[in-house]
Amino acid sequence: MSSETKQDPVAQMEKIVSLCKRRGFIYQSSEIYGGCGGVWDYGPLGAELKRNLRDAWWRAMMRDREDILGLDAAILMNPAIWKASGHVDTFADMMRECTLTNKRVRADHVEPQGGTVMQFTGAKSPGGWHLNRTVTVLMKKGEHIESFRKRVRALLAQNAGDAAGKPDEIELLGEQKTEVLEGSIDFHPESGGLLGEARPFNLMLRTFLGPTATEADVTYLRPETAQAIFAQFKNVFDSSRVKVPFGIGQIGKAFRNEVTPKNFTFRSREFEQMELEFFIKPDEAVEIISGSVRAWSEGADLGAPQQDWGWEMWHRYWVDQRTKFYESIGLGDVLEYYWQNKDDLAHYAKACVDILCEFPFGTEELEGIAARGDFDLSQHQKHSGKSLEIFDEELKAAAAKLDDAQKEALVQKRLAAEQAKTKGDPLPEADVRAWFDRLFKGFYVPHVIEPSAGLDRMALAIIAKAFDEFEKADDKGRKETITVLRFHPRVAPVKCGVFPLLKNKPELVAKAREVYELLRPHMNCFYDETASIGRRYARQDEIGTPFGITIDFDTLGEKGPDLQDTVTLRERDSGAQQRVKIGDLLGKLLPLLR
């Protein structure tokens, strides 16, 4: 990566956004109509990149394991699900509204600013429009007073519409300077208008399910994919003949009415999630069956799950598994971790780690892995009135071997843990004893470990990590900036470019088409016969194609039988070239793409 892009992350991000549009990775949704805020469309190359990432995740979770099942749930669900999960009442961000433009911004997204606070008692225009309220705006450091006034007039006109007339005709009334501030978070980051008090703003997008469009028909576009897994847990368990521990995973669209979508596709209103809910036995059940629960320690073997693993070992295991996945798609060296402390955690969560990734705009969350206890299934069991317990014959048999003293010791241990809680109310003793009564009979609601990743964030991370620029002199010594996307071959949208050396030689074109047709059923290839070979290589480098194949006169046997039916295989990052027999291409390329 060039020193320029390292020193100027804003410029780097602008170049990435420009490249994404120019080469067909990502477009602004509804662009010809002025766009749709916080929503993005994926062009041909972006669609391929996302599909490759979906396939990689699905393969790692479903194909390479025998303990995880897939689900494809509907976006629209009974709104009672969102009431039970807490989304209706608590799924909100704190929002503040600009008193000048009425634009909303997330309270935690306001960066500290400095400048002079200017106040106006109102405004009016020759057409009769009046603003009869005080307007407070921050004049930023270095901003000329006339430029500031012009900006305020433009914002007032924009907010008032046609009634205010032309911005330069608006008269600002009662101007006065009130104070000079440093590090204030009370002004809108774009307009500079004074922000109102923070208040909760529910992020769910409402819609109507039914013909009458009344409150009785209100439902929501799902804000996450996880709740469908919990709602269908018993159906999957009963129909698939699985045993705990096992997982259910799905990939799907989710929607959040973000107050301030930002950083390109990183925070948007429509996005895709890749979520796994991995169901495990409660630690008490593990202790009854195995005699103890294995404790986590640094250096513990996380390779093969064991029967005596409790929630902590399973949580660490999934952090390790997800780290290995990111390494397998080329993101291993840009990851960091944030282990949430007790103040960060939800009252029901035992632990949560955020896998962070370096983006041009900072280090941000890529995936969260949470140990959520039995909160989700228990909530749905409570609100639906349907049992989501499972029966474990092995647990019942092990519990039958315990004497009363051993059973009471388990109860007392749990009671002590309840009293030691720092968040949430402890379970009453009667509830704890009732829970153990069911447990000793082999019944329990499973606990869950939840790795939850954003597909759009992952795609952006892949593009940002792959983006590279450097200067190169052409044959005449003129320098030009070269852009390369160094995608891992496994996720690259196009795997291979196929090039006849010359397009006006039918025999070269025919052989090149033959090679293209050989590879096309097995990988996404691109056939290109226009411009010089160097220019064709550069075009493919810019979209991240890892391999190029050139068919030349040696392929046709002009230098003898030794090189006949061989091609030049070029590797993108090293520029290395080698002769490979056409019949050996698939055997050489396919292992590099998996």
Side-chain angles (χ1 to χ4, degrees):
M1 189 173 297
S2 72
S3 59
E4 177 191 356
T5 53
K6 283 186 177 181
Q7 294 171 0
D8 190 348
V10 174
Q12 183 186 348
M13 197 64 213
E14 289 175 351
K15 291 173 182 177
I16 289 172
V17 173
S18 175
L19 173 65
C20 283
K21 179 179 180 181
R22 185 176 73 253
R23 296 310 306 265
F25 282 93
I26 303 170
Y27 311 128
Q28 184 181 23
S29 175
S30 314
E31 183 179 359
I32 63 172
Y33 289 99
C36 184
V39 186
W40 303 91
D41 295 336
Y42 287 79
L45 293 178
E48 284 290 338
L49 176 62
K50 284 185 73 174
R51 180 168 296 280
N52 290 344
L53 290 171
R54 284 192 205 98
D55 290 347
W57 187 89
W58 195 265
R59 188 181 308 114
M61 292 296 190
M62 315 296 169
R63 298 286 179 262
D64 295 344
R65 306 179 64 98
E66 57 182 354
D67 57 354
I68 299 179
L69 306 166
L71 184 71
D72 185 3
I75 289 171
L76 297 174
M77 297 189 287
N78 190 309
I81 285 178
W82 305 113
K83 183 69 175 177
S85 66
H87 284 79
V88 171
D89 297 323
T90 64
F91 190 60
D93 281 335
M94 297 305 291
M95 176 271 298
R96 301 180 73 179
E97 190 168 287
C98 175
T99 57
L100 177 63
T101 64
N102 301 119
K103 287 186 177 180
R104 293 167 175 169
V105 62
R106 261 179 59 169
D108 60 340
H109 284 177
V110 181
E111 297 291 338
Q113 302 178 76
T116 303
V117 179
M118 303 292 291
Q119 201 169 78
F120 304 92
T121 58
K124 65 179 182 179
S125 66
W129 171 82
H130 282 82
L131 179 68
N132 298 314
R133 63 179 175 85
T134 300
V135 175
T136 305
V137 190
L138 183 70
M139 183 169 66
K140 299 176 183 179
K141 287 183 178 180
E143 188 174 15
H144 191 276
I145 184 64
E146 286 303 326
S147 297
F148 167 74
R149 290 168 181 150
K150 182 178 181 181
R151 179 166 65 85
V152 173
R153 290 190 191 99
L155 290 169
L156 288 173
Q158 180 181 327
N159 206 42
D162 294 339
K166 296 179 181 180
D168 57 3
E169 293 180 345
I170 293 176
E171 181 183 352
L172 301 174
L173 306 175
E175 178 186 302
Q176 62 175 325
K177 298 179 182 179
T178 61
E179 58 183 324
V180 176
L181 297 177
E182 290 287 346
S184 173
I185 56 171
D186 290 327
F187 295 87
H188 194 282
E190 295 175 5
S191 69
L194 181 68
L195 292 171
E197 292 297 315
R199 57 188 178 88
F201 175 76
N202 195 287
L203 300 179
M204 286 199 295
L205 286 159
R206 287 166 44 116
T207 187
F208 297 97
L209 194 60
T212 60
T214 64
E215 284 299 308
D217 296 325
V218 167
T219 189
Y220 304 92
L221 301 183
R222 66 184 181 196
E224 63 176 36
T225 58
Q227 296 306 317
I229 296 176
F230 297 128
Q232 293 292 0
F233 163 76
K234 202 69 186 316
N235 279 335
V236 174
F237 180 79
D238 291 341
S239 63
S240 302
R241 301 179 62 210
V242 290
K243 291 183 178 181
V244 175
F246 80 100
I248 304 174
Q250 77 163 329
I251 302 171
K253 289 277 191 178
F255 306 83
R256 295 183 184 178
N257 197 16
E258 292 283 355
V259 179
T260 50
K262 64 176 185 175
N263 292 331
F264 198 22
T265 58
F266 180 82
R267 189 179 301 280
S268 51
R269 293 186 168 114
E270 178 180 338
F271 53 95
E272 276 189 82
Q273 285 184 304
M274 302 188 290
E275 290 196 297
L276 169 68
E277 306 302 330
F278 195 81
F279 300 98
I280 60 175
K281 295 177 172 68
D283 279 13
E284 293 88 346
V286 174
E287 186 171 352
I288 292 170
I289 294 170
S290 301
S292 64
V293 178
R294 186 176 303 197
W296 158 257
S297 61
E298 289 295 335
D301 183 4
L302 296 172
Q306 301 298 314
Q307 189 179 50
D308 64 351
W309 279 14
W311 72 264
E312 191 172 18
M313 286 295 292
W314 276 114
H315 186 241
R316 295 280 183 166
Y317 168 80
W318 277 110
V319 174
D320 181 65
Q321 289 290 300
R322 298 304 299 144
T323 297
K324 289 176 179 175
F325 171 80
Y326 287 116
E327 290 172 347
S328 76
I329 59 173
L331 288 178
D333 60 342
V334 290
L335 298 182
E336 297 180 22
Y337 303 86
Y338 174 69
W339 290 85
Q340 294 187 17
N341 58 44
K342 290 182 179 180
D343 293 334
D344 297 326
L345 292 172
H347 68 87
Y348 52 80
K350 297 177 182 293
C352 184
V353 61
D354 297 330
I355 298 182
L356 310 176
C357 183
E358 294 176 18
F359 292 90
F361 44 80
T363 301
E364 299 283 356
E365 181 186 348
L366 192 61
E367 175 166 351
I369 305 173
R372 297 176 62 91
D374 64 357
F375 173 79
D376 300 282
L377 289 180
S378 293
Q379 282 292 103
H380 288 298
Q381 178 174 263
K382 174 184 174 182
H383 284 260
S384 69
K386 305 292 174 58
S387 173
L388 296 180
E389 287 185 325
I390 62 109
F391 173 69
D392 189 322
E393 183 66 52
E394 183 183 22
L395 172 61
K396 179 183 178 182
K401 297 176 182 178
L402 300 178
D403 59 31
D404 289 344
Q406 290 171 314
K407 290 180 178 179
E408 182 61 24
L410 287 167
V411 173
Q412 292 300 322
K413 184 178 178 180
R414 174 64 181 272
L415 287 171
E418 289 293 330
Q419 292 303 314
K421 279 184 176 178
T422 57
K423 279 190 174 183
D425 297 327
L427 278 178
E429 181 174 346
D431 291 351
V432 171
R433 291 189 178 277
W435 184 82
F436 270 102
D437 183 58
R438 296 292 293 166
L439 188 72
F440 293 145
K441 293 175 182 176
F443 293 95
Y444 61 84
V445 172
H447 289 217
V448 70
I449 307 295
E450 180 190 72
S452 176
L455 177 55
D456 300 86
R457 290 187 178 188
M458 194 181 299
L460 181 58
I462 289 286
I463 293 171
K465 168 67 166 55
F467 183 83
D468 190 14
E469 273 189 340
F470 57 92
E471 285 191 341
K472 182 180 179 181
D474 62 17
D475 295 339
K476 298 180 179 179
R478 293 174 299 194
K479 289 184 178 180
E480 62 176 332
T481 300
I482 305 297
T483 302
V484 179
L485 289 178
R486 303 192 187 280
F487 288 132
H488 190 289
R490 189 180 186 192
V491 300
V494 179
K495 309 299 186 186
C496 188
V498 180
F499 318 118
L501 184 63
L502 299 172
K503 68 176 182 179
N504 59 354
K505 296 294 181 181
E507 59 273 32
L508 288 177
V509 171
K511 182 61 72 171
R513 296 296 305 187
E514 178 185 320
V515 171
Y516 176 69
E517 295 299 334
L518 170 71
L519 300 178
R520 193 159 61 98
H522 304 278
M523 64 190 76
N524 189 29
C525 300
F526 188 85
Y527 178 85
D528 191 358
E529 60 183 28
T530 61
S532 68
I533 281 293
R535 182 56 59 189
R536 282 181 267 173
Y537 284 158
R539 287 197 292 242
Q540 292 303 305
D541 289 349
E542 191 177 39
I543 64 171
T545 305
F547 304 105
I549 295 172
T550 302
I551 290 81
D552 54 23
F553 291 105
D554 291 345
T555 311
L556 303 179
E558 288 197 1
K559 290 186 178 179
D562 290 344
L563 294 179
Q564 188 171 4
D565 285 329
T566 66
V567 295
T568 299
L569 177 64
R570 173 187 178 266
E571 198 275 329
R572 177 198 62 215
D573 292 336
S574 68
Q577 300 186 16
Q578 58 179 304
R579 299 297 296 193
V580 178
K581 287 185 175 296
I582 293 174
D584 294 338
L585 278 173
L586 282 174
K588 187 169 186 64
L589 289 175
L590 288 178
L592 301 175
L593 304 177
R594 290 173 178 159

